[in-house]
Structures are given as structure tokens and as C-alpha cells.
């Protein structure tokens, strides 16, 4: 069977993979994207849809800022409305030590171009009168917002295709290997693809591919616990979440203009990369709703009309893997976003495209290198062998 050859193959059709294909196509690279299902079907299509910069590790903010530029221009660049609503993002807290965290983070984030407004006590309720009175403070990021994850990755894929990229869905990649000066990729049906550069953006399935290059990582799969209510009058412009060290308290919501309120948070549920399935657990949902009533008592009478989940990839340090392979020239990664990659996706895609095309990137990626795991694994292996 003859092989298809292109400059760059991107494996994975989530927000990161499709954005990478889009920005590579803008750089006039020939690109093929291979997706095991449909674009945006898993983590990128089932998440909360938050376009949130605040609360991120400070070293993620340059990518988040770059991503925000794309979100602002998405309707024009992609020729499709991804329902980006720059209505702001608000974090609230219940514990006094977290108030101090808000103020400290606001000072540090300002250096990275993120301006936040921190409110305390009565100032919070003057701005957000529907909040429960257990809330002590709020941190507001006025330029953030939310978008529709169901349409975003497919819109990037279609835009990439208009620029010449080949988007191939329902292609399950099973084998990746170095092949001379490039790479050989094989799918479950025995079709072979060849490329000069390879970018793995395969989400929770990425370890199965990175391990074939001697770079395994401890990637786990979990599922977000998501729900949506019946429509009610539109009163919440800003998306809102609880900052806390108590996982059960960590819930978030946003309201879309037609009135439905989208809910998420709390402990994640089970997910399986073999079946490509994830579940909302009844106990998680009951506990989640109790936290929403605490956050906004007026939500208590609303009916939940649908719940859903999807397969997300998590790494133990909570940081993604972004950048060049530590072992193989011409190989790049963008995965492991730990349930927080939707906003970053366009920024990661633009940065990976820049890196693939020029060999360097304007944003430092050292903190996201895959070798933070592969070095650890090699050290552990040597230690075990010496004992």
C-alpha cells in the first residue's frame, strides 16, 4: 500500500491539534491531521468552555495571553462563530487564606499582563448580589470569558482545510516510528503515512504514541462532571468558579445568552481510553448541586436537563507537555492539559506551529518539556538496576 507523504502530520483532532494544523497551514506548510474519531469529540468538545487566564500557573500566562488574541479574532479567522463571549471570569473563595492568595496572585500576574480586580466582603455582593453570603472575596478578570467547546475544534479544522490542510477523521493511529530522515505512521487499517515532522496531540491516548519513541509518561484518564440547566433569564455575564483547596468545593458555572446555565467541577469521574467512554457519577452530581446551592442559592430550584462527560488526560504535576521531544529530532508534543487546556489550545497550537516551522518559539517551553518525566523514569530505572 503506497504511503501518503506530507511536511507535517498532526495526530489528534482536539483544540490543540486542530489549532496546530490551522497555524501550520497559515505558514504554508503542507499538513495532514489524523483523528481517531471526530474532531473535538473528546476533551476539547466536552469541557466547560472557559476562556480563563486567571488562576493559571504564572509560566502558563504567556501562552494564555497568546491564545486570547486568537479567541478574540476567532470568528473572523475561522469564518465561524465559536460563541466567544468576553464577559469576564470571576473566582470566589470561602476561606480567609484564599483571600490572601487572590491578592498575592493579582500582584504577580500583573507582571505577565493579566490585570485582576479583587473585591472583599460587601463589595462582592454589591457587584454579584446573587452570591451566597459564605463568599469572602472575588477575583475578577474582565477580559476573559467563555466559548462553545462543541464547535471550536471543528471550526479550527475546517479553517485549516480551507488553507490546504488534509483533515482525516476516523483514522486510529497504531504505529509511529522514525523512518530515515522523517517519520512513518500507520493506522489500524494498515494505511501508511509519511512526514518530515510529527506532532502528537492525542490527549489521553498520547502516551501510547510517545512511548513508541522511548518517552512514556504517567498519563491518567478522568472525566469531567458536566451538566446544563433549563433556560432562565440571563443574569450572569461573567463565568464564575470557586477557588479552594477542598476539591468538593471547586465548582464553576457560566450562563449562555439563551439562558441555560452550564455547570461543572468537583472530583472527576471515571474514564477509559480503551472504550473511549467517561461517565457522570450520580454521587458526584448530588454533591456538585449542593455546592452550587451554597455558591448561588437562587440556583436551587433549577432543573438539570442533561449531563455529560468525556475522556481527559491528566499528569501528576498538573502541567501539560508542550514542545519538542527530548529524544527524537522532528518530533513534537502537545497533550496532558489536565482538564484546563481549552483556553490554552489556540496559543499552544500557534506556538507549536512556530516551533515546527522555525525551530524556535517566542515563548519559553522548558517548564512543559516531556523530559521532566522521562529523566525521572530513566533515573528510577538505573537506581532499580543498581540495587
Amino acid at each position: 500500500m503506497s504511503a501518503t507523504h506530507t511536511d507535517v502530520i498532526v495526530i489528534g483532532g482536539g483544540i490543540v491539534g486542530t489549532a496546530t494544523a490551522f497555524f501550520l497551514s497559515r505558514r504554508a506548510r503542507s499538513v495532514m491531521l489524523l483523528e481517531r474519531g471526530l474532531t473535538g469529540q473528546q476533551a476539547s468538545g466536552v469541557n466547560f468552555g472557559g476562556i480563563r487566564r486567571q488562576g493559571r500557573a504564572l509560566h502558563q500566562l504567556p501562552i494564555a495571553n497568546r491564545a486570547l488574541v486568537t479567541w478574540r479574532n476567532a470568528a473572523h479567522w475561522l469564518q465561524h462563530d465559536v460563541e466567544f463571549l468576553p464577559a469576564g471570569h470571576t473566582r470566589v473563595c470561602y476561606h480567609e487564606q484564599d483571600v490572601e492568595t487572590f491578592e498575592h496572585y493579582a500582584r504577580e500576574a500583573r507582571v505577565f499582563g493579566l490585570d485582576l480586580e479583587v473585591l472583599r466582603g460587601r463589595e462582592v455582593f454589591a457587584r454579584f448580589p446573587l452570591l451566597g453570603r459564605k463568599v469572602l472575596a472575588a477575583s475578577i478578570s474582565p477580559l476573559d470569558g467563555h466559548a462553545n467547546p462543541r464547535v471550536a475544534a471543528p471550526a479550527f479544522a475546517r479553517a485549516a482545510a480551507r488553507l490546504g490542510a488534509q483533515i482525516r477523521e476516523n483514522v486510529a493511529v497504531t504505529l509511529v516510528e522514525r523512518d530515515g530522515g522523517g517519520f512513518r505512521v500507520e493506522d489500524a487499517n494498515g494505511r501508511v503515512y509519511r512526514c518530515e515532522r510529527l506532532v502528537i496531540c492525542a490527549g489521553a491516548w498520547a502516551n501510547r504514541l510517545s512511548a513508541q519513541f522511548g518517552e512514556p509518561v504517567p498519563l491518567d484518564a478522568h472525566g469531567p462532571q458536566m451538566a446544563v440547566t433549563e433556560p432562565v433569564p440571563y443574569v450572569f455575564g461573567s463565568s464564575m468558579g470557586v477557588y479552594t483547596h477542598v476539591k468538593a468545593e471547586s465548582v464553576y458555572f457560566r450562563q449562555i445568552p439563551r439562558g441555560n446555565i452550564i455547570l461543572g467541577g468537583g472530583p472527576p469521574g471515571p474514564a477509559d481510553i480503551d472504550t473511549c467512554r467517561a461517565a457522570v457519577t450520580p454521587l458526584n452530581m448530588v454533591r456538585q448541586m449542593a455546592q452550587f446551592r451554597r455558591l448561588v442559592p437562587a440556583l436551587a430550584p433549577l432543573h438539570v436537563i442533561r449531563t455529560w462527560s468525556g475522556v481527559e488526560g491528566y499528569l501528576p504535576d498538573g502541567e501539560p507537555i508542550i514542545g519538542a521531544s527530548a529524544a527524537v529530532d522532528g518530533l513534537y508534543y502537545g497533550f496532558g492539559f489536565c482538564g484546563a487546556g481549552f483556553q490554552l489550545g489556540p496559543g499552544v497550537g500557534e506556538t507549536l506551529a512556530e516551533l515546527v516551522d522555525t525551530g524556535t518559539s517566542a515563548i519559553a517551553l522548558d517548564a512543559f518539556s516531556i523530559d521532566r518525566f522521562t529523566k525521572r523514569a530513566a533515573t528510577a530505572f538505573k537506581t532499580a538496576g543498581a540495587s
Side-chain angles (χ1 to χ4, degrees), residues 46-176:
V46 303
N47 65 84
F48 176 63
I51 306 299
R52 169 188 65 82
R53 292 175 301 156
Q54 76 161 324
R56 295 191 178 279
L58 295 173
H59 56 262
Q60 289 188 11
L61 288 178
I63 295 179
N65 291 336
R66 171 176 265 188
L68 186 60
V69 175
T70 297
W71 285 116
R72 288 173 173 168
N73 289 283
H76 174 59
W77 290 356
L78 306 183
Q79 299 179 34
H80 188 88
D81 181 12
V82 297
E83 300 176 27
F84 172 55
L85 189 64
H89 175 268
T90 301
R91 305 178 97 197
V92 303
C93 65
Y94 299 126
H95 307 289
E96 190 61 43
Q97 66 266 30
D98 295 331
V99 179
E100 297 173 5
T101 299
F102 279 179
E103 293 176 341
H104 178 74
Y105 183 83
R107 289 192 296 270
E108 294 196 322
R110 194 168 296 117
V111 178
F112 292 84
L114 174 58
D115 291 321
L116 304 173
E117 180 184 8
V118 178
L119 305 178
R120 283 175 171 260
R122 284 181 291 186
E123 291 179 316
V124 176
F125 307 117
R127 185 78 62 89
F128 304 107
L130 293 177
L131 286 178
R133 288 333 188 236
K134 299 279 188 186
V135 170
L136 297 182
S139 175
I140 305 165
S141 181
L143 300 182
D144 291 347
H146 50 92
N148 187 342
R150 299 294 296 173
V151 302
F156 274 100
R158 289 192 299 271
R162 283 194 294 271
L163 294 172
Q166 300 180 61
I167 308 297
R168 301 197 177 184
E169 298 179 313
N170 299 309
V171 176
V173 172
T174 56
L175 177 68
V176 287

Side-chain angles (χ1 to χ4, degrees), residues 28-347:
R29 286 284 192 148
S30 65
V31 183
M32 179 184 294
L33 183 145
L34 305 177
E35 161 56 38
R36 64 178 297 131
L38 302 176
T39 57
Q41 187 172 20
Q42 288 294 343
S44 294
V46 303
N47 65 84
F48 176 63
I51 306 299
R52 169 188 65 82
R53 292 175 301 156
Q54 76 161 324
R56 295 191 178 279
L58 295 173
H59 56 262
Q60 289 188 11
L61 288 178
I63 295 179
N65 291 336
R66 171 176 265 188
L68 186 60
V69 175
T70 297
W71 285 116
R72 288 173 173 168
N73 289 283
H76 174 59
W77 290 356
L78 306 183
Q79 299 179 34
H80 188 88
D81 181 12
V82 297
E83 300 176 27
F84 172 55
L85 189 64
H89 175 268
T90 301
R91 305 178 97 197
V92 303
C93 65
Y94 299 126
H95 307 289
E96 190 61 43
Q97 66 266 30
D98 295 331
V99 179
E100 297 173 5
T101 299
F102 279 179
E103 293 176 341
H104 178 74
Y105 183 83
R107 289 192 296 270
E108 294 196 322
R110 194 168 296 117
V111 178
F112 292 84
L114 174 58
D115 291 321
L116 304 173
E117 180 184 8
V118 178
L119 305 178
R120 283 175 171 260
R122 284 181 291 186
E123 291 179 316
V124 176
F125 307 117
R127 185 78 62 89
F128 304 107
L130 293 177
L131 286 178
R133 288 333 188 236
K134 299 279 188 186
V135 170
L136 297 182
S139 175
I140 305 165
S141 181
L143 300 182
D144 291 347
H146 50 92
N148 187 342
R150 299 294 296 173
V151 302
F156 274 100
R158 289 192 299 271
R162 283 194 294 271
L163 294 172
Q166 300 180 61
I167 308 297
R168 301 197 177 184
E169 298 179 313
N170 299 309
V171 176
V173 172
T174 56
L175 177 68
V176 287
E177 61 185 356
R178 201 78 164 108
D179 181 40
F183 296 88
R184 180 180 180 275
V185 176
E186 185 174 330
D187 70 20
N189 293 315
R191 289 187 293 261
V192 175
Y193 313 84
R194 286 190 166 84
C195 59
E196 302 302 318
R197 301 284 185 270
L198 180 64
V199 188
I200 295 175
C201 305
W205 295 265
N207 180 57
R208 291 182 170 180
L209 303 178
S210 68
Q212 294 182 41
F213 293 107
E215 297 184 300
V217 295
L219 188 65
D220 291 327
H222 301 290
Q225 307 293 279
M226 303 301 304
V228 63
T229 73
E230 61 189 315
V232 292
Y234 184 70
V235 294
F236 297 106
S238 178
S239 61
M240 191 166 293
V242 178
Y243 172 75
T244 174
H245 292 90
V246 181
K247 184 61 177 174
E249 295 177 341
S250 181
V251 295
Y252 39 83
F253 73 90
R254 65 184 178 95
Q255 188 174 24
I256 57 177
R258 64 175 170 265
N260 304 81
I261 297 176
I262 297 166
L263 314 170
D272 190 316
I273 62 173
D274 292 319
T275 63
C276 304
R277 299 293 182 188
V280 173
T281 61
L283 182 58
N284 274 0
M285 182 56 61
V286 169
R287 291 173 173 171
Q288 191 183 68
M289 296 311 297
Q291 291 298 327
F292 283 117
R293 289 193 293 271
R294 178 187 185 189
L295 177 59
V296 182
L299 293 179
L302 299 190
H303 293 94
V304 169
I305 60 175
R306 186 167 67 91
T307 64
W308 69 92
S309 187
V311 183
E312 296 180 331
Y314 286 76
L315 291 161
D317 61 1
E319 295 281 1
I321 290 171
I322 308 169
S325 162
V328 180
D329 290 341
L331 174 63
Y332 305 87
Y333 299 116
F335 67 89
F337 289 89
C338 306
F342 183 65
Q343 190 278 340
L344 289 178

